[in-house]
Amino acid sequence: LNVNGNNTDLDAYPDAVDNLLEAGTLDKGGSVTGNLAGEIKIGAPNPKLKMSVSYLDNSKNITFALK
């Protein structure tokens, strides 16, 4: 998670979230479905979710704007 330019880990462990995604590797052509959980303050400015597609190539990272 990134809030207003500050990165934090998705290290929340909520009780009431079913099908929580864990870290891992996805095979080429594979798919996965699940939920992500994190914590930010209510009203936090400019929240984003940044995902690393490749540890070796930062140009392939994906960023999602959150509402």
Side-chain angles (χ1 to χ4, degrees), residues 5-67:
N6 297 308
N7 292 325
T8 61
D9 292 330
L10 282 170
D11 56 3
Y13 298 99
D15 307 353
V17 177
D18 293 328
N19 198 23
L20 197 61
L21 285 176
E22 301 289 336
T25 302
L26 186 62
D27 291 335
K28 185 175 182 175
S31 66
V32 66
T33 302
N35 295 308
L36 297 172
E39 295 176 316
I40 59 173
K41 291 182 181 180
I42 294 173
N46 200 23
K48 297 177 182 174
L49 174 65
K50 291 183 165 186
M51 297 183 67
S52 297
V53 176
S54 171
Y55 290 112
L56 303 175
D57 185 354
N58 286 334
S59 70
K60 294 184 180 182
N61 292 348
I62 301 170
T63 301
F64 299 93
L66 304 175
K67 294 183 180 183

